[in-house]
């Protein structure tokens, strides 16, 4: 594909993005590509560099070297108009604590120059904060502040949302509400979303593409569809005696493609393996089976491989 086509479909692109502070390289030569209208899951262990990259995307920090392109324009210290097209939460959202949630959102509209009627009430309603809108923010719980931060981020109908761990402080019901909201914003409003999270299952359920960063380096960018297509189906066995089960698989059934996981389970990858034959043969050889069933690898499995916790795909 020609480079001009690639640029035109990328709302966000970084080029060899590097940040060094006090001689320490926080991120190194990161190349990130976010397509228009997608949800991009940005994954990495704590300290991997996710927040550092997001701070540079939103102009809070300047790169030591490399560049950021937003909507096809190179980000500079004076890119005010481009930044108006974005909404963001980086780390923890800050507010005027003595003011109400509703007044904080009204003030945000003022300095953004956004005056669409009903926008504040709509944002409060989307995040379940209508009844709490007149409370001063000092009385908000951590989860309420997080939801108010997202309400502020989506308030002015941005084209791009950059959200750093937006589900912090939320219970499972609150996380599901946000998951549904992000998907709606993407599908119905065409908003492009970059979301970092340490909760892999949350990213897996909504992301179109993931980027994995580790020790400041971008390890892999890949679509969830590609992960799904490459995932290997396997039979999982949970048994009383793993060593004896492994012997039976290798000696009696002559299987070669299996591995022991966590000391109590075995994954059988041989395409010709059959659960019925496995369970019968193990039973005949006095191997007690706690569980047997077909599975496929998850995003967590892929993530652990890419970050070095398992074999790289």
């Amino acid at each position: 594909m020609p480079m001009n086509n690639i640029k035109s479909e990328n709302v966000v692109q970084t080029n060899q993005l590097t940040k060094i502070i006090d001689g320490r390289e926080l991120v190194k030569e990161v190349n990130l590509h976010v397509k228009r209208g997608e949800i991009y899951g940005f994954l990495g262990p704590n300290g991997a560099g996710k927040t550092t990259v997001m701070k540079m995307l939103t102009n809070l920090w300047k790169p030591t070297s490399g560049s950021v392109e937003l909507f096809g324009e190179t980000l500079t210290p004076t890119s005010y108009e481009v930044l108006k097209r974005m909404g963001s939460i980086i780390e923890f959202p800050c507010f005027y604590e003595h003011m109400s949630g509703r007044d904080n959102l009204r003030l945000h509209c003022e300095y953004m120059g956004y005056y669409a009627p009903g926008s504040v009430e709509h944002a409060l309603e989307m995040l379940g904060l209508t009844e709490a809108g007149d409370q001063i923010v000092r009385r908000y719980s951590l989860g309420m502040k997080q939801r108010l931060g997202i309400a502020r981020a989506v308030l002015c109908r941005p084209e791009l949302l950059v959200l750093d761990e937006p589900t912090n402080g939320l219970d499972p019901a609150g996380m599901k509400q946000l998951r549904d909201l992000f998907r709606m914003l993407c599908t119905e409003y065409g908003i492009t979303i970059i979301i970092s999270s340490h909760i892999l299952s949350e990213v897996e359920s909504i992301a179109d593409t993931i980027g994995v960063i580790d020790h400041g380096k971008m390890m892999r960018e890949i679509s969830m569809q590609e992960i799904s297509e490459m995932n290997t189906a396997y039979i999982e066995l949970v048994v009383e005696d793993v060593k004896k089960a492994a012997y039976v698989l290798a000696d009696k059934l002559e299987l070669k493609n299996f591995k022991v996981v966590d000391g109590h389970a075995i994954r059988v990858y041989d395409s010709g393996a059959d659960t019925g034959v496995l369970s019968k043969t193990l039973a005949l050889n006095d191997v007690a089976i706690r569980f047997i069933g077909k599975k496929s690898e998850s995003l967590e499995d892929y993530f652990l491989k890419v970050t070095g916790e398992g074999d790289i795909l």
Side-chain angles (χ1 to χ4, degrees), residues 43-313:
L43 301 177
N46 289 334
K50 301 187 300 295
T51 299
T52 298
V53 170
M54 288 183 153
K55 285 182 175 180
M56 289 188 281
L57 295 182
T58 52
N59 236 3
L60 294 173
W61 283 3
K62 306 301 182 287
T64 302
S65 63
S67 62
V68 174
E69 291 182 24
L70 299 178
F71 308 105
E73 298 180 25
T74 300
L75 192 64
T76 71
T78 58
S79 297
Y80 307 121
E81 294 304 314
V82 169
L83 293 174
K84 286 182 180 180
R85 300 166 68 181
M86 298 173 59
S88 66
I89 294 181
I90 306 297
E91 295 183 321
F92 297 101
C94 296
F95 304 97
Y96 292 100
E97 298 270 328
H98 64 286
M99 295 171 57
S100 70
R102 183 174 279 106
D103 285 341
N104 267 276
L105 296 188
R106 286 170 177 162
L107 183 62
H108 182 72
C109 285
E110 286 287 333
Y111 66 70
M112 289 293 287
Y114 186 81
Y115 303 104
S119 57
V120 169
E121 298 308 316
H122 182 55
L124 289 171
E125 182 182 353
M126 280 198 301
L127 274 300
L129 290 169
T130 300
E131 293 184 6
D134 289 326
Q135 291 182 28
I136 61 172
V137 172
R138 188 180 299 114
R139 296 176 183 167
Y140 278 27
S141 66
L142 174 61
M144 290 171 68
K145 287 181 179 179
Q146 197 72 9
R147 294 208 308 272
L148 185 63
I150 295 169
R152 184 173 62 188
V154 304
L155 178 59
C156 301
R157 294 288 178 87
E159 297 172 55
L160 170 66
L161 276 176
V162 179
L163 304 173
D164 186 20
E165 298 279 0
T167 58
N168 275 344
L170 299 181
D171 58 19
M175 286 191 281
K176 183 183 185 305
Q177 179 191 23
L178 287 192
R179 188 168 66 240
D180 294 342
L181 173 64
F182 296 150
R183 179 51 64 189
M184 183 273 290
L185 291 172
C186 184
T187 57
E188 295 186 21
Y189 294 96
I191 296 175
T192 304
I193 302 174
I194 305 174
I195 177 171
S196 74
S197 179
H198 64 281
I199 305 174
L200 300 183
S201 60
E202 288 296 302
V203 173
E204 185 173 25
S205 64
I206 62 171
D208 301 298
T209 301
I210 65 162
V212 180
I213 187 171
D214 190 28
H215 294 95
K217 296 181 180 180
M218 183 68 85
M219 306 299 292
R220 197 75 58 88
E221 279 189 324
I222 188 168
S223 71
M224 287 301 302
Q225 181 178 345
E226 288 178 273
I227 292 177
S228 177
E229 290 172 354
M230 73 168 59
N231 273 352
T232 307
Y234 59 89
I235 296 172
E236 181 164 281
L237 294 164
V238 180
V239 295
E240 294 284 351
D241 189 335
V242 170
K243 288 184 178 179
K244 189 173 183 180
Y247 169 77
V248 171
L249 295 181
D251 188 66
K252 304 296 183 182
L253 293 171
E254 299 183 349
L255 298 177
K256 296 182 175 63
N257 194 8
F258 65 88
K259 69 176 181 179
V260 176
V261 182
D262 298 330
H264 67 277
I266 298 175
R267 291 182 180 178
V268 180
Y269 294 96
D270 285 77
S271 58
D274 178 84
T275 55
V277 173
L278 287 176
S279 59
K280 181 179 179 179
T281 305
L282 289 168
L284 288 172
N285 286 273
D286 299 320
V287 177
I289 302 172
R290 296 179 186 171
F291 171 84
I292 183 169
K294 290 188 176 180
K295 290 190 173 183
S296 62
E297 292 184 330
S298 65
L299 176 58
E300 182 176 9
D301 296 317
Y302 181 82
F303 174 80
L304 292 174
K305 287 179 180 179
V306 171
T307 56
E309 296 296 327
D311 298 325
I312 299 281
L313 284 176

